[in-house]
Amino acid sequence: MNSTQDTLYAQASEHISDFQFDNRVAGVFSDMIRRSVPGYTQIINTLGDFAKNLVTPDSRVYDLGCSLGAATLSIRRQIQGRNCRILAVDNSQSMIERCRENLNAYVSDTQVDLICGDIRDIEIENASMVVLNFTLQFLPPEDRDALITKIYRGLNPGGLLVLSEKLCFDDAPIQALLEERHLDFKRANGYSELEISQKRSALENVMKPDTLATHEQRLKAQGFSHFSLWFQCFNFASMVAIK
Ligand SMILES: C[S@@+](CC[C@H](N)C(=O)[O-])C[C@H]1O[C@@H](n2cnc3c(N)ncnc32)[C@H](O)[C@@H]1O
Ligand SMILES: O=C(O)C(=O)C[C@]1(C(=O)O)C=C[C@@H](O)C=C1
């Protein structure tokens, strides 16, 4: 997968515009997300392991906000020969184009439908697994319940939702403690103070993290009776919910 180094925020800019998954971001995204999200590679690998256990023959898998296809690739490797279809959806044309190249670089008997569209508009049916890997945080908060309801309805009994997100914390000292560890993670990965602060400004209006409690309450309120956090590193987490 393309790993051009992310230097998008390295030069001082007078006006920082809102973060967008445009062509510039898509070109460096593989490097950006690995250097920005602690545990990203482990989460991607574990998505494949979950799929190996839980994806049932003749069912569908949805990768919502698929970006360059990392989750789809990890899952596809583990579900060969099950006659499944993966629907990978993203509303960034630049991401979809690069995702197609990444998927075509490997052979598989599992069909992938790559859809350039809004995850709020697609239908979900006959799903044994749905992935929201760092995507829900980019939806307006008022649209999140409806998406989770749609996912719940489209999952087969026993079907799995994996939800990975940046978290925020109501407890101010905990927020400060974990946020600082995340900033150190970025520094250790070579991001300068300027890059960190300019990207923070760009994300401020477009990425709105929830607390873990809000996620749990939302998933339970929309019907999921089985919920657990399975991964957390600082203020980044991944959760599972089973129908
Ligand atoms: C942080 S990235 C997801 C990373 C990816 N899931 C992975 O594991 O590598 C968020 C993605 O969601 C997409 N996205 C955000 N809002 C969307 C929406 N409403 N509909 C479809 N895609 C959306 C963005 O274009 C972006 O590619
Ligand atoms: O919170 C940050 O500083 C991030 O960079 C996080 C994050 C994410 O969680 O998706 C934000 C935008 C990019 O997609 C990569 C990582």
Side-chain angles (χ1 to χ4, degrees):
M1 205 175 275
N2 180 328
S3 62
T4 308
Q5 197 182 339
D6 166 26
T7 54
L8 294 186
Y9 295 100
Q11 302 302 323
S13 171
E14 271 182 25
H15 173 74
I16 304 286
S17 39
D18 281 350
F19 189 86
Q20 281 186 320
F21 292 96
D22 56 15
N23 200 36
R24 292 174 71 226
V25 168
V28 299
F29 188 71
S30 192
D31 178 68
M32 172 187 276
I33 196 154
R34 277 177 180 75
R35 288 165 66 212
S36 302
V37 175
Y40 174 76
T41 302
Q42 189 189 341
I43 293 170
I44 288 293
N45 291 337
T46 305
L47 286 169
D49 297 336
F50 283 142
K52 189 176 179 181
N53 275 0
L54 267 150
V55 169
T56 53
D58 308 314
S59 67
R60 295 177 169 198
V61 174
Y62 289 80
D63 179 5
L64 304 180
C66 61
S67 298
L68 302 179
T72 289
L73 279 165
S74 173
I75 292 166
R76 191 176 67 168
R77 268 197 295 277
Q78 301 287 357
I79 60 168
Q80 306 275 346
R82 296 187 198 180
N83 191 36
C84 290
R85 249 170 88 185
I86 302 178
L87 293 94
V89 186
D90 206 290
N91 63 358
S92 160
Q93 184 68 43
S94 304
M95 288 292 192
I96 290 288
E97 281 164 17
R98 287 179 165 81
C99 186
R100 180 165 289 114
E101 287 170 19
N102 292 333
L103 296 175
N104 288 344
Y106 303 91
V107 189
S108 168
D109 67 4
T110 304
Q111 181 186 333
V112 179
D113 295 348
L114 209 48
I115 299 163
C116 188
D118 196 302
I119 58 175
R120 290 166 292 190
D121 298 334
I122 60 145
E123 280 182 26
I124 298 186
E125 55 186 3
N126 186 26
S128 59
M129 182 170 178
V130 177
V131 174
L132 278 168
N133 207 37
F134 303 106
T135 301
L136 192 68
Q137 60 199 11
F138 290 102
L139 275 197
E142 64 273 18
D143 292 350
R144 295 178 188 178
D145 286 4
L147 179 68
I148 298 298
T149 304
K150 181 169 73 172
I151 291 170
Y152 181 79
R153 291 192 179 140
L155 275 168
N156 296 332
L160 173 72
L161 168 63
V162 186
L163 172 63
S164 311
E165 290 272 290
K166 187 176 190 179
L167 296 178
C168 65
F169 302 84
D170 288 333
D171 185 317
I174 296 291
Q175 173 70 39
L177 185 78
L178 299 184
E179 199 178 326
E180 196 51 36
R181 295 280 62 74
H182 176 228
L183 296 183
D184 266 355
F185 172 84
K186 286 191 158 188
R187 291 174 188 123
N189 284 331
Y191 284 121
S192 66
E193 298 307 319
L194 179 68
E195 286 176 291
I196 290 171
S197 77
Q198 292 194 135
K199 188 172 180 207
R200 179 199 284 257
S201 306
L203 284 170
E204 214 157 42
N205 295 325
V206 289
M207 188 178 91
K208 308 263 184 210
D210 285 322
T211 63
L212 181 61
T214 298
H215 285 299
E216 179 167 4
Q217 280 155 18
R218 178 183 295 120
L219 290 167
K220 289 187 169 162
Q222 304 316 312
F224 287 97
S225 37
H226 311 279
F227 169 89
S228 182
L229 181 69
W230 72 269
F231 175 90
Q232 183 175 349
C233 184
F234 314 139
N235 47 352
F236 286 81
S238 188
M239 298 153 264
V240 284
I242 299 175
K243 180 163 174 178

